[in-house]
Amino acid sequence: MTRAERPTAHRPDPDDALIADSRERAVRALLRRPQLKRLWSAQLVGGVGDVLALFVLVLLALQAAIAAGSFGGGHRGAAFAVATVFGVRVLATVLFGAVLLGPLTALTAPDGPLDRR
């Protein structure tokens, strides 16, 4: 009898409650370690701060576009102000990643001059 001719065993569907409980216990087990808990907390605070900073920048750009008419006024000026904020944000992210972290990655590559330890 070949493998294709063998009858397959019935696999029961996974229990969603068991999967959720397993994930919760895994997260709790990871958060018991103080180093990981600090790292996760710092990541959470940094992410919230990042979102709030973007929100404030968009609001300030809208205020400048509407009140002072610095981007042409009207709906077009407001849309251009918001697009400018997002564009500058993306440009800064790309420049930081490519210009600053690119050479550092080349230095710490496996065949690079610096030891990764």
Side-chain angles (χ1 to χ4, degrees):
M1 179 180 284
T2 64
R3 192 178 287 215
E5 294 171 342
R6 280 191 228 161
T8 58
H10 174 67
R11 288 185 172 175
D13 292 333
D15 186 16
D16 291 334
L18 181 63
I19 292 172
D21 182 54
S22 176
R23 283 187 187 141
E24 287 176 16
R25 282 191 288 148
V27 169
R28 272 188 263 131
L30 286 174
L31 289 179
R32 280 190 204 117
R33 299 192 52 99
Q35 298 92 352
L36 291 175
K37 189 174 183 176
R38 257 185 287 148
L39 178 68
W40 185 79
S41 298
Q43 181 71 30
L44 180 69
V45 169
V48 169
D50 214 20
V51 170
L52 286 176
L54 181 63
F55 181 66
V56 168
L57 281 174
V58 168
L59 286 179
L60 288 174
L62 275 174
Q63 183 181 4
I66 292 170
S70 58
F71 287 99
H75 294 336
R76 280 187 157 177
F80 184 67
V82 172
T84 303
V85 168
F86 283 111
V88 167
R89 173 97 174 200
V90 169
L91 182 67
T93 302
V94 169
L95 284 177
F96 178 76
V99 174
L100 296 177
L101 294 180
L104 182 65
T105 304
L107 288 174
T108 59
D111 56 342
L114 295 179
D115 189 16
R116 291 191 291 178
R117 290 181 278 166

